[in-house]
Amino acid sequence: MASYSVPAIKRLQLGKELRAWRERAGLTLEQASADLDLSTSTLSRMEKGQNRIEGVAADSYPALEAEAVSVATSR
């Protein structure tokens, strides 16, 4: 059985939330990564919990959440 550290588990949880926000906004990975000024592969790894989220990338989460909320409420 694999052993995960708390930060790894939190990254997985945060990644799931990030993907859920993107999907609720109806955005593809390519669209969201362009909006967030991230590469598609970086955003994909973040959603899978494979990347540590630091600095500029961490600052992108509120923008994605706001966009997801905006799109969801405009439907």
Side-chain angles (χ1 to χ4, degrees):
M1 178 186 228
S3 173
Y4 296 100
S5 67
V6 173
I9 292 170
K10 289 192 182 290
R11 278 197 313 269
L12 290 169
Q13 292 170 335
L14 187 55
K16 282 179 75 172
E17 285 298 315
L18 180 60
R19 183 174 183 168
W21 290 335
R22 177 178 60 77
E23 290 176 343
R24 281 194 300 267
L27 297 172
T28 65
L29 192 61
E30 291 78 12
Q31 292 168 323
S33 62
D35 289 347
L36 297 169
D37 198 26
L38 298 170
S39 72
T40 303
S41 60
T42 296
L43 183 56
S44 175
R45 287 190 307 268
M46 289 167 69
E47 288 184 354
K48 293 175 184 175
Q50 295 172 343
N51 267 20
R52 295 183 76 187
I53 300 158
E54 300 172 355
V56 175
D59 293 340
S60 299
Y61 283 118
L64 183 59
E65 183 177 20
E67 186 167 345
V69 169
S70 174
V71 169
T73 57
S74 68
R75 289 183 181 177

